[in-house]
Amino acid sequence: MSQEEARAAVAEAYRAHYRRLVAAVYAATGDFAGAQDAVQEAYAAAMDRPARFAALEDPQAWLRVVALNAARQRWRRRQVFDRLVRLGRVPKEPGPAPALTGDRVDLMRALQSLPRPTREAIVLHHLFDLTVEQVAEELGTPVGTIKARLTRGRARLAGVLQPDPAHS
């Protein structure tokens, strides 16, 4: 089976089983968003090795096992986190996310228009205040490449985020 055929098999399994798997994991966990995430993790694992997935005797059973395992892992992590909060070892979760003003929505939309490697460099450098060298180390990329991504990213953002003279 070709790689393309294997990917098509994963896509077909997604169309055929996604909703039912989410419903089953949701019934098992009581957490709809967590169920969606767990099932998506299962399909991501299938897409990592589509030929192996396509060769399974019962792909739906495999997806179910992987999704339930992912949900259990999320639950265990949450239990550990809750215990650390109760013990005072980590602060309680922060309040709600900042309100999405028009400027923030525009910035998020502009960032999403950048290629992923450029977006990651921009976010790490400008939003997390990492140096160029720290960004390069974190991304495992040469400093010169990070500098080029930052330059291209800033230029593209400047073009996208230009104020509209009609509204000034």
Side-chain angles (χ1 to χ4, degrees), residues 111-156:
L111 284 169
Q112 292 304 311
S113 74
L114 298 174
R116 183 193 49 77
T118 303
R119 181 174 59 244
E120 289 173 352
I122 292 282
V123 167
L124 290 172
H125 184 65
H126 291 287
L127 299 181
F128 284 100
D129 295 321
L130 298 181
T131 66
V132 171
E133 292 76 16
Q134 290 171 318
V135 172
E137 183 178 333
E138 193 160 314
L139 296 177
T141 305
V143 169
T145 302
I146 296 301
K147 287 180 180 179
R149 288 177 184 169
L150 290 171
T151 299
R152 284 191 307 267
R154 284 190 291 253
R156 188 154 172 197

